[in-house]
Structures are given as C-alpha cells and as structure tokens.
Amino acid sequence: MAYPAPALLDKLASLLGAKGFTRDPGDMAPWLSDWRGRYHGAAAAMLSPATREEIVEIVRLCAAAQVALVPQGGNSSMVGGATPDSSGEALIVSTRRMKRIRSLDAEAGLAVCEAGVILADLHATALAAGRRFPLTLGAKGSATIGGLVSTNAGGTQVLRFGPMRALVQGIEAVLPDGSLFEGLTALRKDNRGYDLRQLLIGAEGTLGIVTAATLTLVPAAAGRAVAWAGVASATDATRLLRHLEAALGDAVESFELVPKSALDLVLAHVPGTWAPLAAAVPWNVLIEAVGPNPDEPLSRALAIALESGLVADAVVAASEAQAQAFWRLRDSISEAEKKDGPAAKHDISVAVGDMAPFMTEAAAAVEARFAGTRVNAFGHLGDGNVHFNVRAPEGAGPGWVESIGEEVSAFVHDLVTAAGGSISAEHGIGQMKVGELARLGDPARLDALRAIKRALDPANIMNPGKLVPPVDPMEAPSFHQSLAQKGVRP
Ligand code: FAD
Ligand code: MLT
Ligand code: ZN
C-alpha cells in the first residue's frame, strides 16, 4: 500500500469539492474510531462522494496509485470494520452524502436506495407509502443501507424475514478496478454464473463499494402487539417461542431474550427506563406479533403459558408508548453494558434448538474458568444467535479486556466451534475477529476467501486488514488487538 501522493490528493479534492473532501483532523476524528471506542485509526483524508460516478473516479485513481480505501457508512460496526489502521495511508470513503431513495414502487414492493440512506429514514419513507422494510436493529438511526448490505446485518426481525441478504434484490457497486457493476434490476430468475450480488453481501467492503441496492418492501403492519414475559430459563424461553409459533404462526416477528443481568444494566444506566414486570425474573423475553388484531391471540397464548407454569409473569403493552418503552429496554443493552464497564463481546450462533442448552453450559464453564466474570448473554434466541458477552469481575480496571480478553474469547470461540457454531452470527469479522477466523476457520473456507479476494482485488486496496485473514496467521491481529496496536500494514 502507498501513502497517497499530494497530486492524487489534489485531484480528489478538486473532484469532490469542499463538501466531499477533508483532511481536517476535527472533521475526521469522529469517523476514525468505532462505536465501541475500541478501535482508533488514522486516514490521509476523508472522501464523501455524492454520486456513484465520483466513486468510480475515486476507485480508478486509487487502484492506479495502490492507495487503500476504507468504505464507511454509519460507522456503527461492532467489529471495527469501518475503522482504518494506524498507518494514516488509507482514505475513508464515506457514503453519508449518497442518501437518495432513487425509487419506491409500493405495488412491486421494491425500493432502490443509495448506500448512504439511513435505515430509520427508509422505514419512515416506506411507511408513508403503506409499506415497510422488515429489518431493524438498535443502530437504526445511523446504520446505512451500504453498511447493512456489506455486513449482511441481522437485527430483531430475522425470525420472520431473514437477514439483509434475504431482502436484497439488486446491487450496484464499484469494483476494485473502478468498474461499475450495475445489478439493481430485481430479477426473480437470473442464471448468469457466479452471483456477484451474493458475494458483495457480507463482504464488509473488501470486494468493492456498494453504491445502491434494490430492497424488498412488505405491506405495512396492520397492527402489532408487544409483550414482555418472564421465564425461569433459556430453555423455557425456547419452549415459549415454540408455543407462540404454534399458536400465532408467523405473526411472531421478534423474540428477544433479555437475562436479568442485562435488564439490571439498562435500569441502572439508561434514564427513564422501568421494569415491565412486578417481580424480577431470571430471564425476560420481548415478543412482537404483527397482524390485524394481534393483541388478543397473543394475550390468549400467554395466558395458556402462564397457566401451565411455563411463564412466571407477562404483560402485553397497553399502548404504542408502552410498546416502544419495552423495545427501548432491549435496544439499550449494548449502550448500558458499554457504560457499565469492560466486557469481552461475542456474537455467536449455533443451531436454533441448541442455543439454550449451549449458552447455559457455556456460561457455567466460562464463569468457572475465569473467576469473578459474569456472562451477559442476550439477543436473538429465535435465530440461534446471542451476544454472549463476558463482563469483567467487579472492580476490574479498564485494561481487563486487553489483559485477559484474548484468553476468554478463545475459550468462548472454542466452545462455539466445538458445537458447530459460528463466531460471527451477524456483526461480521471486521478487524476484531480476523485472528480468530484464521485460528478457527476451516482451510477450505479460508483458502476460498483469500482466492476470491485476490481475484477481485489483487492490489488489496479495498478495506485491507478486514475479514480476510493474512496467509501467515501470526500477521493477523489477535482478538482484542487492533490493526493499530499490531502495527499491521496489510
Ligand atoms: P459501517 O459501520 O460504516 O461499516 C460496516 C462495514 O461495512 C465495514 O466493514 C465497512 O467498510 C463496510 N461498508 C459500509 N458501507 C459500505 C459500502 N457502501 N460499500 C462497501 N462496504 C461498506 N448489527 C446486526 O447485525 N444486528 C443487530 O442487532 C445490531 N445491533 C446494533 C446495535 C447497536 C446499538 C449498534 C451500535 C450496532 C448494532 N449492529 C447490529 C451493528 C451495525 O449496526 C451493523 O453492522 C450495520 O450493518 C452497520 O452499518 P453501518 O452503515 O453503520 O456500517
Ligand atoms: C444487539 O442485538 O443489540 C446488537 O447486535 C448489539 C450488540 O451486540 O451489542
Ligand atoms: Zn444483535
């Protein structure tokens, strides 16, 4: 990789203008660290193109000069994926000025969105047209379409609609040689060989820059019912999910697990929050059912579960405000955990039916192995995905993750891998898990990843150091080390 020559920077500055080019440290600072504040990088400049044509020109010039590009959307990555390394050689390519919804066809149920469209804005625009985009997550106010596509994001509606990959019908992207891939047409049938669209989904900016996507819209919800229930165990939570699915079918769109530890964190650190149930329970579940009149069937199903003892207590939100308050509890867990102190974070998945026993046994094993630690495992139980976070022992200093985090995470990831699971369910690999993917990934997967990367980006200018482990595993930053700390120049 080369440091961008002054002539190149001048060309980019005149191409993009004052709104699209900055080297000002103050302008760049918020975009040089990740949301968790774990990764801190440097960049020669931050580019904010307004059109796909400008991105084509940026990539064409940088490919010729072998200058690294770090695509960035809302910068809400949980794995340091959009944070450059410390070399200062890379250029951030922000899509935040490309926020047009090019078209919305309510009848066809399709929206063509530029990469910088923010998720919450798409939600609002779709709703105004009597439709909805059925993917949401706690970062909806900042996550962009380009970032959601590039991470194949999940969120809290995967249970019914699948992850981002299931909602993408077309992609437009600039490839590492500067060519424009125009694949926006929503074709139900298209057999022209390797599907570049599928390769770009979840590529984390390593195979090109997504400039727009054609997304599926579904009819607006006729109504929703949101409930909060208490159960004795994660296994009972899975049983409750099966019971509700039997009673309500696919009206159940969200089923989120919230352990007592996570609720306590939110109540302690997020002002204005309150516990929905009178008495504390070991495990809580947030349920959302969608349909014409979901309240009554959901209340009835919960009443049956109460009678059978499966559920200790439950409440169905009596108003939209209460429903939003329940969701706020769930969506604030990351923020509350961040405020509370150091934790080794893991985004894991196993087969859906195995998650409850797995997380129960794994939590016991971790807490036995690492004295004083507290497992806070929450999230998308219905998808077989939880955020299995290991909080530092009470009183542990801010350096706890740096000191022992790697050992803790290797222990957790070994358990997940032994159970046939994934060390990255929805957040991606970024720079955070490159070392662990190198350590645990099967050779066929690793070789294929490297071969595809080499074929499409031989100069390795696209988001270097992310996702694709280097051939020499010793070069990869360890789990809790950043590219910056490792001093890696990919
Ligand atoms: P960024 O953080 O800017 O980038 C993410 C990755 O995509 C980087 O590798 C970047 O290089 C690449 N990229 C971004 N834009 C482009 C583009 N146009 N072309 C090519 N590459 C690009 N994630 C989930 O999956 N499920 C959740 O439930 C969830 N909840 C979250 C809750 C909170 C509070 C926060 C802070 C984050 C959460 N996330 C969750 C993580 C995050 O929101 C997602 O990963 C999201 O998809 C990132 O979008 P972004 O626009 O912020 O991307
Ligand atoms: C969530 O489900 O809240 C997120 O994926 C965030 C996290 O893991 O902290
Ligand atoms: Zn999640």
Side-chain angles (χ1 to χ4, degrees), residues 36 78 256 330 334 345 378-380 387 389 426-427:
R36 283 186 170 152
M78 283 286 184
E256 295 289 314
R330 165 60 187 87
S334 313
K345 302 197 176 229
F378 66 92
H380 322 292
H387 303 299
N389 299 341
E426 60 176 6
H427 293 163

Side-chain angles (χ1 to χ4, degrees), residues 218-446:
V218 298
R224 75 165 179 171
V226 178
W228 192 274
V231 291
S233 68
T235 304
D236 281 352
T238 306
R239 288 200 190 104
L240 176 61
L241 174 59
R242 298 293 172 247
H243 165 68
L244 293 174
E245 287 176 331
L248 288 87
D250 62 15
V252 181
E253 290 198 2
S254 301
F255 190 89
E256 295 289 314
L257 186 68
V258 180
K260 180 178 183 306
S261 57
L263 181 60
D264 290 348
L265 283 173
V266 172
L267 298 175
H269 294 288
V270 182
T273 55
W274 41 274
L277 304 178
V281 288
W283 296 89
N284 304 272
V285 178
L286 170 63
I287 303 149
E288 180 162 310
V290 167
N293 302 305
D295 282 71
E296 208 276 322
L298 179 58
S299 303
R300 201 172 44 239
L302 286 171
I304 292 168
L306 266 167
E307 258 160 53
S308 72
L310 177 58
V311 160
D313 190 5
V315 54
V316 177
S319 66
E320 182 54 26
Q322 231 182 40
Q324 287 175 12
F326 290 177
W327 269 109
R328 184 159 177 250
L329 293 171
R330 165 60 187 87
D331 286 338
S332 307
I333 299 174
S334 313
E335 175 202 338
E337 202 179 60
K338 189 169 135 183
K339 286 185 181 152
D340 186 67
K345 302 197 176 229
H346 312 98
D347 166 40
I348 61 167
S349 59
V350 294
V352 176
D354 296 345
M355 181 48 89
F358 172 82
M359 57 189 282
T360 308
E361 286 152 27
V366 168
E367 290 172 357
R369 172 75 182 73
F370 301 98
T373 57
R374 300 149 297 160
V375 170
N376 183 36
F378 66 92
H380 322 292
L381 185 67
D383 312 330
N385 168 208
V386 294
H387 303 299
F388 189 95
N389 299 341
V390 182
R391 297 164 57 209
E394 301 266 10
W400 181 80
V401 173
E402 283 66 28
S403 65
I404 192 165
E406 192 176 331
E407 218 183 314
V408 170
S409 298
F411 187 86
V412 172
H413 287 159
D414 287 349
L415 292 174
V416 173
T417 306
S422 170
I423 64 169
S424 173
E426 60 176 6
H427 293 163
I429 298 293
Q431 60 179 292
M432 184 178 182
K433 297 177 200 169
V434 172
E436 286 290 86
L437 189 61
R439 185 175 71 86
L440 293 164
D442 59 280
R445 178 195 297 272
L446 297 176

Side-chain angles (χ1 to χ4, degrees), residues 67-369:
V67 166
L69 298 171
V70 178
Q72 194 183 70
N75 199 27
S76 66
S77 169
M78 283 286 184
V79 289
T83 306
D85 64 36
S86 62
S87 69
E89 292 175 355
L91 299 169
I92 290 180
V93 182
S94 158
T95 60
R96 290 183 290 278
R97 288 177 65 212
M98 295 177 63
K99 45 187 179 196
R100 270 185 327 122
I101 297 181
R102 293 184 189 166
S103 67
L104 191 149
D105 180 340
E107 199 179 326
L110 295 172
V112 178
C113 300
E114 291 191 334
V117 170
I118 292 174
L119 180 57
D121 295 341
L122 174 58
H123 286 160
T125 308
L127 210 55
R131 292 279 172 179
R132 64 188 168 124
F133 179 62
L135 180 142
T136 195
L137 39 77
K140 57 182 172 285
S142 55
T144 65
I145 297 305
L148 296 161
V149 169
S150 301
T151 56
N152 186 28
T156 54
Q157 289 175 294
V158 171
L159 190 61
R160 172 82 186 281
F161 297 101
M164 196 64 179
R165 189 181 296 283
L167 300 167
V168 174
Q169 301 213 28
I171 286 187
E172 179 192 82
V174 179
L175 303 181
D177 62 357
S179 58
L180 181 64
F181 168 64
E182 298 193 73
L184 285 175
T185 312
L187 298 171
R188 282 184 69 71
K189 292 175 109 172
D190 179 11
N191 264 357
R192 289 175 286 178
Y194 305 141
D195 188 341
L196 197 50
R197 183 182 51 175
Q198 293 305 329
L199 268 181
L200 288 161
I201 298 170
E204 301 184 33
T206 61
L207 296 179
I209 301 178
V210 173
T211 50
T214 304
L215 304 173
T216 303
L217 302 179
V218 298
R224 75 165 179 171
V226 178
W228 192 274
V231 291
S233 68
T235 304
D236 281 352
T238 306
R239 288 200 190 104
L240 176 61
L241 174 59
R242 298 293 172 247
H243 165 68
L244 293 174
E245 287 176 331
L248 288 87
D250 62 15
V252 181
E253 290 198 2
S254 301
F255 190 89
E256 295 289 314
L257 186 68
V258 180
K260 180 178 183 306
S261 57
L263 181 60
D264 290 348
L265 283 173
V266 172
L267 298 175
H269 294 288
V270 182
T273 55
W274 41 274
L277 304 178
V281 288
W283 296 89
N284 304 272
V285 178
L286 170 63
I287 303 149
E288 180 162 310
V290 167
N293 302 305
D295 282 71
E296 208 276 322
L298 179 58
S299 303
R300 201 172 44 239
L302 286 171
I304 292 168
L306 266 167
E307 258 160 53
S308 72
L310 177 58
V311 160
D313 190 5
V315 54
V316 177
S319 66
E320 182 54 26
Q322 231 182 40
Q324 287 175 12
F326 290 177
W327 269 109
R328 184 159 177 250
L329 293 171
R330 165 60 187 87
D331 286 338
S332 307
I333 299 174
S334 313
E335 175 202 338
E337 202 179 60
K338 189 169 135 183
K339 286 185 181 152
D340 186 67
K345 302 197 176 229
H346 312 98
D347 166 40
I348 61 167
S349 59
V350 294
V352 176
D354 296 345
M355 181 48 89
F358 172 82
M359 57 189 282
T360 308
E361 286 152 27
V366 168
E367 290 172 357
R369 172 75 182 73

